[in-house]
Amino acid sequence: MTEKLTEAPSLLRELSADRLREHAAGTLTRARRRSTVLTDAVDDDDLVRQHSKLMSPLVWDLAHIGSQEELWLVRDVGGREPLRPDIDDLYDAFQHPRADRPALPLLGPAEARAYVGQVRAKAFEVLEKAPMEGRRLTEAAFAFGMITQHEQQHDETMLATHQLREGEPVLHAPPAPGDRSGPLPAEVEVPAGAFLMGTSVEPWALDNERPAHEVWVDGFRIDTTPVTNAAYVEFLEDGGYEQRRWWSEAGWQYRTAHDITAPQFWWREPDGWWRARFGVREPVPAGQPVVHVSFYEAEAYAAWAGKRLPTEREWEKAARFDPATGQSRRYPWGNEEPTPEHANLGQAHLSPAEAGAYPAGASALGVHQLIGDVWEWTSTDFHGYPGFAAFPYREYSEVFFGPEYKILRGGSFGTDAAAIRSTFRNWDYPIRRQIFSGFRCARDLPVV
């Protein structure tokens, strides 16, 4: 019999004010180091070019990172005078759609780099003196964590822009690891019962992750690993994209209207399926999770396989719940922060790792690779939890609530450890494929 349902405590809340400042400075520095790699890898022409109508020019993302840091850390937390109030509207994501941003009078590459450097210097001055308590925005360095996560999210967006960029490879990383788990069961059974979903204790959790609340989940089975390229090729070779019966009405309309015949960046050669990956052309690796598929493609595959996509609460229970203690963990493997042994994160590799590559990252129930590698589509629309309260601004998540967006979970190889945890919620339109999205399947338990 399990103990009372609980949520794992936060390690951040155990740190002193000085250690919190040190931690915040480290995560901000890591994010800036990555932003620099992504923007210094290309010349100025590539920085200002729009590589896809779906994405901003890289130079817009860079200056937007600085603008948000100035608004929240320099002006709000620090109470300092604005550095560049004249550019606030230019870098307001709600003022200008991505497709329109190249026509704006944006900061040039040199000016953008100088601006974000000036903002960071001011932000570090603020961090030295900012209280770590007494105000919700600065409690446990929340505002600094929010800006760290914001920058890392835009770093992942810039990484997706690099994937859409044409030309020779400019980003480099060692290959992702192969299978280190050996043979794994195809599925894991998750027993029926309640668990605590969301969080009320994680200081850097964002508003849509809050509050923790008890939910009931019927028993189900979930794939041990994300669906691999080899498994997805079976769907392709069986005519999965040509057979209407596997697709929802909206999915079939999307597929036919855009002549979608395979995951984005894939094509067929006489010797098999190939893909483009950050300027590299290569055979599709059989053992890696499939990536760059839309919700509709994931949904169709699941129907073909006789399964379905997991709900968001099913995904989170598989990731967090420890049946021995009744505790909802911070991460699938436990309470400690991610390491390279736990998950494929932070652009350390430029692709997903093979299924079974991270046995140390398995959940208490034995589900693998729930964090990192690929964002996983769920069947759930984006909405707030019971008791949701927007903080510190509605535009982070509340304005996106509704059936237009589907929830993705778990992060990808392009997600930094500071911007992912078992409660983190991502969302996007079901047609999106340029993101690093994959999936795993679930199914109901047989009726006895």
Side-chain angles (χ1 to χ4, degrees):
M1 185 172 179
T2 61
E3 302 174 5
K4 180 182 177 182
L5 297 177
T6 59
E7 182 185 355
S10 166
L11 300 182
L12 278 180
R13 291 195 182 278
E14 300 173 5
L15 300 180
S16 67
D18 285 343
R19 289 292 306 280
L20 276 169
R21 292 189 183 94
E22 181 182 339
H23 177 73
T27 59
L28 284 165
T29 299
R30 187 170 78 234
R32 184 54 45 84
R33 189 181 305 123
R34 185 177 175 200
S35 300
T36 301
V37 167
L38 288 162
T39 51
D40 283 0
V42 295
D43 60 25
D44 286 359
D45 287 342
D46 263 356
L47 273 180
V48 301
R49 181 179 296 120
Q50 186 172 47
H51 298 280
S52 166
K53 294 288 188 184
L54 296 173
M55 313 301 283
S56 307
L58 291 168
V59 75
W60 186 93
D61 283 293
L62 179 62
H64 170 76
I65 286 167
S67 178
Q68 289 295 294
E69 187 168 329
E70 181 186 350
L71 287 170
W72 289 103
L73 300 188
V74 178
R75 299 187 199 175
D76 192 315
V77 174
R80 307 291 183 92
E81 289 296 316
L83 277 74
R84 291 294 303 268
D86 56 307
I87 64 173
D88 288 355
D89 287 346
L90 283 179
Y91 297 101
D92 183 334
F94 285 87
Q95 293 278 354
H96 309 285
R98 287 180 176 178
D100 298 343
R101 290 170 187 169
L104 299 172
L106 303 176
L107 301 183
E111 197 174 9
R113 289 185 175 107
Y115 171 62
V116 299
Q118 292 164 358
V119 171
R120 178 53 54 89
K122 295 290 185 184
F124 276 159
E125 290 175 6
V126 170
L127 178 59
E128 288 179 4
K129 299 179 180 178
M132 298 289 108
E133 58 185 6
R135 184 184 176 200
R136 187 176 174 191
L137 193 62
T138 56
E139 182 79 25
F142 171 80
F144 300 91
M146 177 182 72
I147 289 301
T148 291
Q149 292 175 82
H150 176 264
E151 181 162 356
Q152 288 288 6
Q153 287 164 7
H154 275 272
D155 287 343
E156 184 164 357
T157 297
M158 288 196 285
L159 186 63
T161 301
H162 273 273
Q163 171 63 8
L164 290 159
R165 171 188 169 273
E166 295 181 357
E168 294 300 309
V170 295
L171 298 177
H172 305 282
D179 180 5
R180 293 182 286 191
S181 296
L184 291 170
E187 298 175 319
V188 169
E189 183 169 324
V190 180
F195 85 107
L196 279 184
M197 185 175 187
T199 180
S200 294
V201 302
E202 196 65 40
W204 287 11
L206 303 172
D207 60 6
N208 62 66
E209 300 171 64
R210 301 174 181 275
H213 56 291
E214 185 175 315
V215 298
W216 176 271
V217 180
D218 291 334
F220 67 101
R221 289 176 179 160
I222 191 167
D223 290 351
T224 304
T225 66
V227 171
T228 63
N229 290 321
Y232 202 84
V233 165
E234 292 183 31
F235 172 59
L236 279 169
E237 301 292 358
D238 196 41
Y241 279 75
E242 287 75 51
Q243 298 180 56
R244 167 69 183 83
R245 58 181 172 150
W246 306 127
W247 299 75
S248 66
E249 182 63 35
W252 186 249
Q253 289 180 5
Y254 154 76
R255 193 214 71 74
T256 54
H258 298 278
D259 193 27
I260 304 297
T261 58
Q264 191 171 10
F265 310 113
W266 284 33
W267 70 92
R268 192 77 162 87
E269 295 284 2
D271 60 346
W273 288 96
W274 284 61
R275 73 179 181 184
R277 182 183 56 82
F278 300 107
V280 175
R281 297 164 68 88
E282 62 189 10
V284 170
Q288 291 182 6
V290 65
V291 64
H292 296 302
V293 290
S294 67
F295 168 83
Y296 292 135
E297 289 165 285
E299 183 183 46
Y301 173 94
W304 170 83
K307 300 182 180 183
R308 57 176 175 79
L309 296 180
T311 65
E312 183 183 21
R313 63 176 55 183
E314 286 175 338
W315 188 97
E316 187 168 323
K317 184 173 184 181
R320 298 185 71 197
F321 185 62
D322 182 351
T325 63
Q327 187 176 81
S328 290
R329 297 172 163 186
R330 297 180 70 220
Y331 299 98
W333 52 85
N335 207 23
E336 65 269 29
E337 298 290 327
T339 71
E341 288 300 306
H342 290 125
N344 180 11
L345 291 166
Q347 204 177 307
H349 311 290
L350 291 172
S351 74
E354 285 193 14
Y358 294 95
S363 74
L365 292 163
V367 188
H368 286 238
Q369 287 164 280
L370 288 152
I371 298 291
D373 288 306
V374 291
W375 287 102
E376 298 184 20
W377 289 107
T378 73
S379 63
T380 301
D381 297 339
F382 188 35
H383 55 78
Y385 291 150
F388 168 84
F391 178 79
Y393 59 107
R394 291 184 64 249
E395 290 78 10
Y396 176 68
S397 56
E398 186 178 14
V399 297
F400 298 101
F401 290 167
E404 295 89 356
Y405 296 93
K406 293 293 183 182
I407 290 286
L408 301 104
R409 286 303 207 103
S412 76
F413 66 89
T415 305
D416 186 77
I420 197 62
R421 50 201 156 261
S422 292
T423 58
F424 190 89
R425 309 171 78 197
N426 190 9
W427 64 94
D428 215 326
Y429 292 114
I431 64 171
R432 289 290 185 247
R433 309 201 309 156
Q434 85 278 10
I435 60 176
F436 304 114
S437 51
F439 64 101
R440 73 181 73 215
C441 298
R443 62 188 176 110
D444 299 335
L445 295 181
V447 177
V448 180

